Amino acid sequence: MKRAARRLFGPWVDRVDRRTLRADSMAALPNAVLALPQGIAFASLAGLPPVYGIYSAIVPCAVAALFGSSWHVISGPTNANSLALFALLSPLALAGGSEYIRLALAVTVLVGLMQWLVGALRLGSLANFISPSVLMGFTSGAALMIAVHALKDVMALALPVGPHASAVMTAALGRLADPREPALFVGLVTLGATVLARRLNRRLPFMLVGLVAGGVAAWAVNGPLARWGLGRVQVVGPIPGVLPPLSWPAFEIERLRDLLGIAFALSIVALGQSISIAKAIALRSGQRIDANREFIGQGLSNLVGGFFSCYLSCGSLNRSLPNLEAGARTPLAAVFSAAALVLLVLLVEPLLELIPLAAIGGLLLFVAWSLLDLPRWRRLARANRTELAVAGATAVATLVTRMDMAILIGTVASLVVYLQRTSRPAMRSMGFETMEAERRLEVVDDSSAALPECPQLKLLRMEGSVYFGAVQHVSDRLHGLREAPGHARHLLVMSKSMNFIDHAGAELWETELRTRRAEGGDLYFHRPRPGVIETWEASGFSAQLGRDHVFDDKRSAIAAIVPRLDPAVCAACRARVFWECPPPPPPQPTPAPAPAP
């Protein structure tokens, strides 16, 4: 039975035991509590009745977890998806109306089908272009974003739903003039209790402890301390006590073309967010993500969710990160969270209504601080400044633009850095530093101990791919070698590290071969890779070069090339760095002086 479950749900099934079940169940409750106000707010942002946000935090959450790849990602409505859905769908129908709701559910089903196809067709390798530096910047930027938006509730800022980070910071700085805000007190109590509980015992449900402490503080402010006139702390308020009903996302066939375009755009946004969140969390948990399975899980969550009155969902950073920090061990934590949300709404609605928003904000501040990972930023600064710049640009983009755009900006920056590096492959001069029997070829660029190079044969090690983007750099370097005073007309390229060439690269070597032979020299290669040889054979370069110009080892290459060098130059040469060099001519006898007359 477990084997069948493993085939259906994935290898995480093998991790399930009594300890993981306990950890997952303890992480579920605070996550379910977090989902309530977020679901209500995000549904309003999407132009839907608030109850649809609760529906979307239940069904997609369980389906994506069971059929996805990540142990910790929790799916549900997000602000980016909600805003995108509203922006794309509102021109077609009146937001909040029955027609708008039907179209939103239909788009959700289409998005799910597209996402499922991406995974089923095994196109998940596209996610490999999101580099670790981008994920690190994305995670840190998202942590700062979470902290900024948590201030809205912690400081009871009067702002509309989904405010820009700059608006939150401006309002927060203005509120600092009056630090007596009771919501700030509740948020700090929640944060302090969470940190203390975690420090005392990491196995405690510290986020739940913090939430309870914040709830007690809010009760005191709104109850016994109310006579002091400090003001009231805002709570979650009334929650619709209903389960997700079945729905049929019907629409007129003439709208299909518009809905397919909207669904395609939303699929890209949702998949980009989901896989980025999954990979960012996997870097912290040590898990390996199967992108294809993750896409299938996300697709099924929307496909099924659309028939249960759920609108577009994807991996939720605001819920996934607390899930990880709360000690979740398997995807069952998300399933338990969905079940806990249902039970909370049905059984203890009166208590849930009293949860202070400031306490939820305090928990999010704790999560944000945990995610910044400042030591890792310091290590990256010491190791690679370019990658540091990519991570920093992604973090800033996450703060100032949409998450999907931030991921795109970071990925493009990484690709630009990669192309910049690969467009300048290293080309190193090789030679010897000794004439001993056990000598090895060494890089002699800027080496003071190197023996003189042969004036007729240049040894060059090629490191990197010779593709269209690198052709100009390689061509310039080869031209520079030919233009150097007294340059060697013969060139042996050690091409073991020349990983790849394309058609432009093959044409480059053809040009180099013709030029050197026209000068009376030649071109040779040592150990080119099989893929390179295949490209040469397909382009006809191998036939032009000749099999006797390709060698399997350096010693046989030098032994075969040296006899082809100009003997007149060899006779006058003083370098003689090859053992195969002919011996110098015997000294000519000094002619006897002529007798005196």
Side-chain angles (χ1 to χ4, degrees):
M1 184 174 181
K2 194 168 185 178
R3 184 179 301 173
R6 191 180 192 277
R7 284 200 300 268
L8 182 61
F9 299 124
W12 63 264
V13 172
D14 297 334
R15 292 173 48 86
V16 177
D17 56 27
R18 185 178 300 176
R19 289 179 299 176
T20 64
L21 288 173
R22 180 177 181 276
D24 291 340
S25 61
M26 297 301 290
L29 184 58
N31 204 288
V33 172
L34 283 174
L36 276 171
Q38 290 179 6
I40 293 171
F42 293 156
S44 301
L45 204 59
L48 294 165
V51 69
Y52 283 86
I54 297 178
Y55 298 158
S56 303
I58 295 174
V59 176
C61 176
V63 175
L66 288 174
F67 294 95
S69 170
S70 175
W71 302 335
H72 301 103
V73 168
I74 291 187
S75 295
T78 68
N79 54 359
N81 280 345
S82 300
L83 283 170
L85 180 66
F86 176 77
L88 294 172
L89 205 56
S90 56
L92 301 183
L94 180 64
S98 59
E99 177 69 8
Y100 184 91
I101 294 172
R102 285 199 304 271
L103 293 180
L105 299 182
V107 166
T108 300
V109 171
L110 291 174
V111 167
L113 182 61
M114 291 179 181
Q115 292 176 326
W116 179 84
L117 283 173
V118 170
L121 295 176
R122 307 197 66 80
L123 301 177
S125 58
L126 297 174
N128 295 332
F129 290 97
I130 305 174
S131 72
S133 297
V134 171
L135 293 175
M136 180 176 143
F138 171 72
T139 303
S140 298
L144 294 173
M145 184 68 75
I146 289 173
V148 169
H149 285 284
L151 292 177
K152 178 177 179 291
D153 292 325
V154 171
M155 305 186 76
L157 304 176
L159 294 170
V161 175
H164 195 272
S166 60
V168 178
M169 288 303 300
T170 301
L173 292 174
R175 182 55 59 85
L176 289 178
D178 182 17
R180 295 175 299 173
E181 170 60 48
L184 180 59
F185 167 71
V186 173
L188 292 177
V189 168
T190 304
L191 180 60
T194 304
V195 172
L196 181 61
R198 188 189 190 200
R199 185 163 295 179
L200 290 175
N201 189 343
R202 281 181 171 265
R203 293 193 293 180
L204 285 174
F206 46 86
M207 296 185 72
L208 187 57
V209 170
L211 190 62
V212 171
V216 171
W219 169 82
V221 170
N222 292 341
L225 301 181
R227 62 179 183 272
W228 290 7
L230 297 176
R232 294 185 61 82
V233 176
Q234 188 177 1
V235 296
V236 171
I239 300 167
V242 292
L243 291 173
L246 289 173
S247 61
W248 182 254
F251 59 91
E252 294 79 7
I253 193 64
E254 56 267 19
R255 290 191 180 271
L256 180 59
R257 182 176 179 180
D258 292 332
L259 295 184
L260 284 174
I262 293 172
F264 180 75
L266 292 174
S267 296
I268 296 174
V269 173
L271 284 180
Q273 288 186 73
S274 295
I275 197 63
S276 298
I277 292 169
K279 293 182 73 172
I281 292 177
L283 284 177
R284 298 176 61 83
S285 65
Q287 183 199 354
R288 291 182 61 84
I289 294 295
D290 182 343
N292 292 311
R293 179 175 283 274
E294 191 66 24
F295 290 161
I296 289 174
Q298 291 296 325
L300 289 176
S301 71
N302 283 308
L303 194 59
V304 174
F307 291 96
F308 281 89
S309 302
C310 304
Y311 80 96
L312 183 63
S313 72
C314 72
S316 170
L317 198 66
N318 290 344
R319 295 182 66 192
S320 302
L321 296 176
N323 187 46
L324 173 65
E325 291 298 322
R329 303 284 295 279
T330 76
L332 289 179
V335 179
F336 294 159
S337 177
L341 181 55
V342 173
L343 293 175
L344 285 173
V345 172
L346 291 177
L347 301 179
V348 292
E349 180 183 344
L351 290 178
L352 294 177
E353 294 177 3
L354 300 177
I355 294 174
L357 295 180
I360 295 176
L363 290 182
L364 292 178
L365 286 176
F366 169 79
V367 171
W369 175 253
S370 302
L371 287 172
L372 281 178
D373 202 355
L374 296 179
R376 192 172 175 215
W377 279 94
R378 288 194 290 268
R379 290 195 299 271
L380 185 61
R382 291 194 297 266
N384 193 316
R385 293 296 179 89
T386 303
E387 294 295 331
L388 177 68
V390 170
T394 307
V396 172
T398 306
L399 286 171
V400 301
T401 187
R402 301 195 317 266
M403 285 189 177
D404 55 303
M405 285 301 300
I407 296 165
L408 178 61
I409 290 171
T411 302
V412 169
S414 287
L415 292 176
V416 168
V417 170
Y418 169 77
L419 291 174
Q420 177 64 22
R421 289 173 177 169
T422 58
S423 67
R424 301 178 62 84
M427 303 171 69
R428 307 182 192 278
S429 298
M430 304 296 290
F432 301 102
E433 294 184 350
T434 177
M435 293 298 291
E436 300 295 329
E438 300 299 324
R439 69 177 183 173
R440 299 177 57 184
L441 277 170
E442 307 285 349
V443 176
V444 296
D445 294 322
D446 303 321
S447 173
S448 58
L451 298 177
E453 294 184 67
C454 174
Q456 295 197 77
L457 175 61
K458 178 73 176 181
L459 307 182
L460 189 71
R461 187 169 74 188
M462 189 81 217
E463 299 176 2
S465 300
V466 184
Y467 68 105
F468 65 92
V471 162
Q472 188 61 51
H473 171 76
V474 177
S475 176
D476 290 345
R477 179 67 193 277
L478 293 175
H479 179 76
L481 292 178
R482 293 195 306 271
E483 293 298 314
H487 73 277
R489 295 181 178 179
H490 295 260
L491 175 64
L492 171 61
V493 181
M494 299 170 188
S495 50
K496 182 174 64 174
S497 298
M498 188 170 66
N499 304 315
F500 164 79
I501 68 168
D502 61 2
H503 182 67
E507 288 184 336
L508 166 75
W509 291 120
E510 289 176 13
T511 301
E512 184 69 14
L513 177 65
R514 287 195 302 269
T515 303
R516 288 193 172 270
R517 285 180 176 175
E519 293 179 345
D522 217 329
L523 179 63
Y524 313 89
F525 290 91
H526 162 251
R527 290 188 65 181
R529 289 180 175 270
V532 172
I533 294 177
E534 289 177 5
T535 303
W536 284 347
E537 290 177 348
S539 67
F541 176 67
S542 291
Q544 298 177 43
L545 180 67
R547 293 184 179 276
D548 60 340
H549 284 57
V550 179
F551 303 93
D552 291 331
D553 64 89
K554 304 180 186 73
R555 179 164 294 185
S556 62
I558 294 173
I561 297 171
V562 167
R564 306 178 190 180
L565 303 180
D566 187 345
V569 177
C570 288
C573 177
R574 296 186 178 183
R576 301 189 180 280
V577 291
F578 304 127
W579 293 327
E580 294 80 2
C581 290
Q588 297 296 324
T590 304

